[in-house]
């Protein structure tokens, strides 16, 4: 009887095991199969959009006669790196970038933490409109505010100063940093602060000793995002810095673009790889803080 039932149902052992049936020649794909193939093709195209430029950077940096074609060099050489590893082209601009972007990132994280604390802990009917205003300010293009900012910097003598450029970069990244920091700070339970207050701590001590240690992954995200956005900013230092010895690496990339459309592709690719190194090093150094995600690690016990 059981064998007859199995024969009538037509079920095969391969079907009950969960394995997908083999597609035979002449059999049409189902709708779900076509959707999956379309999704895979889209992902491959998206991956190619990222991989092809990276391959061009690697191949062109090792090719003495590099052009816009993506092809392995027939005779790899390090002459392009030797040509750009000079004080004028790489070392001084990279140092300027580290000073400007590093200082602006520290200022952004500090101000975002102090601004996010009252927004996260105190409830007011003006909190949401204020946060929406902050979020709206991130949508303003930098070119729309650059003219009044430049006029203001001229009046207060901040044009052609590295600290003035760092201040403006920090200001431009602060709205989104406050928004992110506030969301991360909402994940820290208030009962931990109340316990610290019971032990005699004030709000400043509870912020530094309770909230900040638990917000390590969140502050890491804000730090990486802010630094990357400032590191790749070209327009702000190009407008506010005039002296060649103060220009960051994002502006010194003009060195490889000559007159009449001539471009040193090999040196440009070598410089681009060196220019990307600090961001990769920063991510590798603090990626461990992101490994566990945003968890309290047993900070609250019943």
């Amino acid at each position: 009887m059981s064998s007859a039932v199995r024969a009538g149902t037509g079920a095969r052992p391969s079907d009950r095991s969960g394995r997908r049936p083999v597609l035979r020649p002449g059999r049409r794909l189902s709708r779900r199969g076509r959707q999956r193939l379309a999704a895979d093709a889209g992902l491959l195209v998206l991956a190619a959009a990222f991989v092809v430029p990276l391959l061009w950077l690697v191949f062109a940096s090792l090719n003495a006669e590099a052009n816009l074609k993506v092809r392995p060099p027939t005779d790899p050489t390090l002459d392009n790196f030797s040509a750009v590893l000079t004080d004028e082209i790489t070392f001084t601009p990279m140092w300027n970038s580290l000073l400007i972007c590093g200082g602006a990132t520290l200022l952004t994280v500090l101000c975002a933490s102090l601004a996010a604390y009252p927004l996260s802990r105190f409830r007011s009917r003006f909190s949401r409109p204020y946060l929406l205003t902050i979020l709206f300010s991130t949508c303003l293009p930098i070119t729309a505010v650059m003219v009044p900012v430049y006029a203001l910097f001229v009046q207060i003598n901040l044009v052609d100063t590295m600290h003035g450029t760092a201040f403006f970069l920090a200001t431009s990244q602060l709205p989104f940093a406050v928004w992110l920091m506030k969301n991360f700070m909402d994940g820290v339970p208030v009962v931990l602060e109340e316990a610290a207050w019971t032990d005699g701590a004030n709000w400043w001590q509870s912020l530094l000793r309770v909230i900040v240690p638990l917000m390590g992954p969140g502050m890491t995200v804000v730090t990486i995002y802010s630094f990357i956005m400032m590191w790749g900013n070209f327009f702000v230092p190009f407008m506010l810095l005039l002296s060649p010895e103060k220009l960051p690496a994002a502006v010194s990339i003009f060195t490889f673009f000559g007159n009449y459309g001539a471009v040193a592709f090999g040196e440009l690719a070598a410089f681009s790889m060196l220019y990307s190194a600090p961001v990769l090093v920063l991510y590798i150094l603090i990626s461990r803080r992101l490994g566990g995600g945003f968890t309290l690690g047993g900070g609250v016990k019943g």
Side-chain angles (χ1 to χ4, degrees), residues 94 97-98 101 226-233 249-250 275-276 278-279:
M94 292 282 281
S97 294
L98 289 175
C101 299
S226 301
F227 185 82
I228 291 177
M229 296 302 293
M230 297 175 190
W231 187 261
N233 195 306
Y275 180 60
S276 305
V279 177

Side-chain angles (χ1 to χ4, degrees), residues 215-232:
M215 284 186 57
M219 297 184 71
T220 301
V221 171
V222 176
T223 300
I224 293 178
Y225 177 81
S226 301
F227 185 82
I228 291 177
M229 296 302 293
M230 297 175 190
W231 187 261

